[in-house]
Amino acid sequence: LIFFVVMQQIEGHVLVPLVMRRVVDVHPVIVIVALFGGYQLAGIPGMLLAVPSAVVFQEVVDDWVAKKARNRETLEI
């Protein structure tokens, strides 16, 4: 019983964030925070939607930063 609990904890806190980082290119800490936040807000359904929401948020921010950098380059020329 203890072995299964330990393996579950390792999977949930180490393996899942590392796999998520490789698959969706999101830092493991962001995945963990998103999972905890999703659970606090909506329980299990919140956890299921937390990582995709974090990815969408990250993509929006990355796009905004890239657009801002392009505009800055345009103004400097």
Side-chain angles (χ1 to χ4, degrees), residues 10-76:
I10 290 172
E11 177 188 359
H13 295 291
V14 178
L15 293 177
V16 170
L18 290 176
V19 169
M20 286 295 178
R21 180 177 184 163
R22 288 181 185 244
V23 171
V24 296
D25 196 30
V26 175
H27 196 276
V29 173
I30 294 174
V31 172
I32 292 171
V33 170
L35 289 172
F36 285 144
Y39 181 75
Q40 288 295 318
L41 291 173
I44 301 299
M47 289 178 72
L48 293 174
L49 296 173
V51 176
S53 299
V55 171
V56 168
F57 181 74
Q58 178 179 335
E59 288 298 319
V60 168
V61 170
D62 288 346
D63 186 50
W64 180 70
V65 169
K67 185 176 180 181
K68 193 171 183 178
R70 282 193 308 268
N71 288 342
R72 185 174 296 141
E73 288 175 2
T74 304
L75 292 175
E76 290 177 358

